[in-house]
Amino acid sequence: MVTGAVLSVGGEVHVTLVKAGRTKVRYPATVVYDDGVHAVVRALWARPTARDFGFVRFEPGDVFTEHYWRDRWYAVKEVRAGDGTVKGWYCDVTRPAEIGPDGIAVEDLDLDLWQSADGATVLRLDEDEFAQSGIEHRDPAAAARARQSLDTLEDLARAGKLGTL
């Protein structure tokens, strides 16, 4: 994938989330915006069945408006139910997105953050997975960027700014 290509608004691309060198999930999305640094796509929940995380349930018909940056170590996904009601924001800590004419690829670094629609719940997620991944020994600079990005996401969430990106 060629990094730096600007996506055409209205075009279809594929989003690929890679974890530990393997494709975790790949799904189609429609391009909403791309200015060469920040790309936004819209996609339906990529699985045929619901997934209950305890704090939110993603289900068929949910719409994700996903924000990716070529220069930030995270992605922010607004989640709406099929009826348009905002459920909240799910954020992945990733390496900067690689964006090319066919789509968006990001490497998941295990850390995540959830903010409920009302802003009352902000959860740091998967810190245990991050610790077990070995990245802190394998790539300490990336691990430090990942932790810094999770802190940034939490600050944005607590300031009520995730929905304004």
Side-chain angles (χ1 to χ4, degrees), residues 37-49:
V37 176
H38 174 208
V40 181
V41 298
R42 189 163 290 129
L44 293 175
W45 171 240
R47 299 175 192 242
T49 58

Side-chain angles (χ1 to χ4, degrees), residues 7 11 23 42 44 48 54 58 71 99 120-121 126 129 135 158:
L7 302 173
T23 297
R42 189 163 290 129
L44 293 175
F58 295 159
D71 62 351
I99 301 174
T121 303
D126 303 328
E129 287 181 32
I135 191 171
R158 295 201 184 280

Side-chain angles (χ1 to χ4, degrees), residues 65-95:
T65 301
E66 304 179 355
H67 297 258
Y68 296 94
W69 289 269
R70 293 165 176 89
D71 62 351
R72 296 185 192 178
W73 285 62
Y74 57 79
V76 176
K77 302 169 183 180
E78 178 193 74
V79 184
R80 290 182 179 262
D83 67 3
T85 305
V86 176
K87 291 184 173 187
W89 292 267
Y90 193 92
C91 306
D92 288 313
V93 173
T94 68
R95 292 184 187 271

